[in-house]
Amino acid sequence: MTTLDDLPIRDDLRGLSPYGAPQLDVPVRLNTNENSYPVPEPVVDAIGKAVAAELRDLNRYPDRDAVALRADLAAYLGHGLTARQVWAANGSNEIQQQLLQAFGGPGRSALGFVPAYSMHPLLALGTGTRWIPATRGVDFGLTAAEAVAQVREHAPDVVFLCSPNNPTGTALDPAVVAAVLDAAPGMVVVDEAYAEFARPGTVSALAVLPGHPRLVVTRTMSKAFGFAGGRLGYLAADPAVVAAVQLVRLPYHLSALTQAAARAALAHRDALLGTVTAIMAQRDRIVAELRARGHRVADSDANFVLFAVDGEQSTAWHALLEQGVLVRDVGLPGWLRVTAGTPAETDAFLSAMERI
């Protein structure tokens, strides 16, 4: 049987594994930060009608620039944004890939503060962009001074900031974003995939977009909207940034069905986002109960919690799996990550933790 080693694959891809978390059939799946609540029936009906309306014209290409969808996304984000300042693609991963295609590439570099979203270095690799793993401080924190020192040292073409950060869950101090913007010679991308779950008072980088043409804020409908299967991510930035990513996007990259489904979901955002408060309550419950039991737990503004375990984290991961609870081993020695789901799922997770 032919293997990758038998093919003329790029040398820098040899020996790597595809990105992905285990997709196992277990009673409680809390490893991929999905929204545990199913799409409400009225929204299912609305999305079904919107998609059905597109079926007869599938012989035609979709709106290449998804203008109506971008206008809807801009209205959702607020902050005075218009369609010219928003771009959409198949998940925020594709958005970030397009940004690296436009502003990174061979001879250029991208920097991120690890641990952070593990797709960023893979996206850099795929686009021929040199990846620079900058470091975080104590308990995975990041101060403005720490960030600026490393940005000035490496002078990257693209800086990735995650707020809230994945896998730690903590939102950034706005001072960090401001300081990095002042110090970075190139683009600054703030990944806000979990922004809707942030604790009250958390400031989005959307607030500082005016006057900062090198700032990009990326978002997704996968988490808070419970639209992970719909694959819709987007960015907000200066119109010139939108023009730049249009140079590298594939023709008709967003299908007519995706655009229709996403617009229907946005039209019913109150119903879809109605689960956010409940998920935040379970997140805070997990944090409080684990800390009460003596675990170290990172502060979370997301729909997941990073927590410490005794001994090897892989041992604890397997012990939880044996009890039907699937969490995420993100590769941090002594730490695991669990998604905040329904009250019943939280019960199952906490009970399993007590038993191990």
Side-chain angles (χ1 to χ4, degrees), residues 199-226:
R199 288 171 292 182
T202 303
V203 179
S204 167
L206 292 171
V208 294
L209 271 177
H212 292 98
R214 292 183 293 105
L215 173 62
V216 184
V217 181
T218 65
R219 293 279 189 99
T220 182
M221 291 181 67
S222 294
K223 312 301 183 183
F225 277 84

Side-chain angles (χ1 to χ4, degrees), residues 14-287:
R14 292 188 182 278
L16 298 182
S17 299
Y19 171 87
Q23 291 183 307
L24 305 177
D25 186 13
V26 296
V28 181
R29 293 188 295 175
L30 299 174
N31 68 325
T32 52
N33 301 339
E34 296 163 321
N35 189 318
S36 292
Y37 292 89
V39 177
E41 282 303 320
V43 186
V44 170
D45 292 341
I47 293 175
K49 290 176 182 177
V51 169
E54 299 292 329
L55 297 180
R56 190 173 300 280
D57 293 325
L58 286 185
N59 59 310
R60 302 294 184 185
Y61 285 115
D63 176 4
R64 182 177 54 233
D65 296 330
V67 176
L69 172 59
R70 288 159 57 198
D72 290 349
L73 289 166
Y76 164 66
L77 290 176
H79 293 274
L81 293 167
T82 67
R84 294 179 61 246
Q85 297 164 280
V86 174
W87 181 248
N90 295 284
S92 57
N93 293 321
E94 186 176 44
I95 288 287
Q96 291 159 5
Q97 181 182 60
Q98 291 173 345
L99 289 168
L100 286 172
Q101 288 175 312
F103 300 106
R108 295 192 172 197
S109 63
L111 177 148
F113 298 91
V114 297
Y117 185 34
S118 58
M119 266 305 295
H120 290 159
L122 293 177
L123 292 171
L125 176 66
T127 57
T129 308
R130 181 169 61 92
W131 176 254
I132 302 169
T135 59
R136 292 175 173 271
V138 178
D139 291 332
F140 312 117
L142 183 64
T143 67
E146 291 167 339
V148 166
Q150 295 179 84
V151 168
R152 286 178 175 164
E153 176 185 356
H154 297 286
D157 298 280
V158 180
V159 175
F160 282 102
L161 298 171
C162 297
S163 184
N165 185 50
N166 179 12
T168 61
T170 312
L172 278 178
D173 183 335
V176 176
V177 177
V180 170
L181 272 172
D182 287 341
M187 304 300 293
V188 176
V189 180
V190 182
D191 184 339
E192 292 191 346
Y194 302 93
E196 286 91 350
F197 298 102
R199 288 171 292 182
T202 303
V203 179
S204 167
L206 292 171
V208 294
L209 271 177
H212 292 98
R214 292 183 293 105
L215 173 62
V216 184
V217 181
T218 65
R219 293 279 189 99
T220 182
M221 291 181 67
S222 294
K223 312 301 183 183
F225 277 84
F227 199 70
R231 307 304 301 128
L232 200 290
Y234 54 104
L235 66 75
D238 189 272
V241 174
V242 175
V245 296
Q246 286 178 307
L247 297 174
V248 299
R249 61 103 168 94
L250 293 173
Y252 314 105
H253 68 295
L254 272 181
S255 76
L257 305 183
T258 297
Q259 292 183 46
R263 293 195 68 200
L266 285 164
H268 293 80
R269 56 181 173 267
D270 289 345
L272 289 173
L273 296 175
T275 62
V276 168
T277 300
I279 292 169
M280 291 171 64
Q282 294 307 307
R283 173 200 68 198
D284 294 342
R285 177 187 168 199
I286 292 170
V287 170

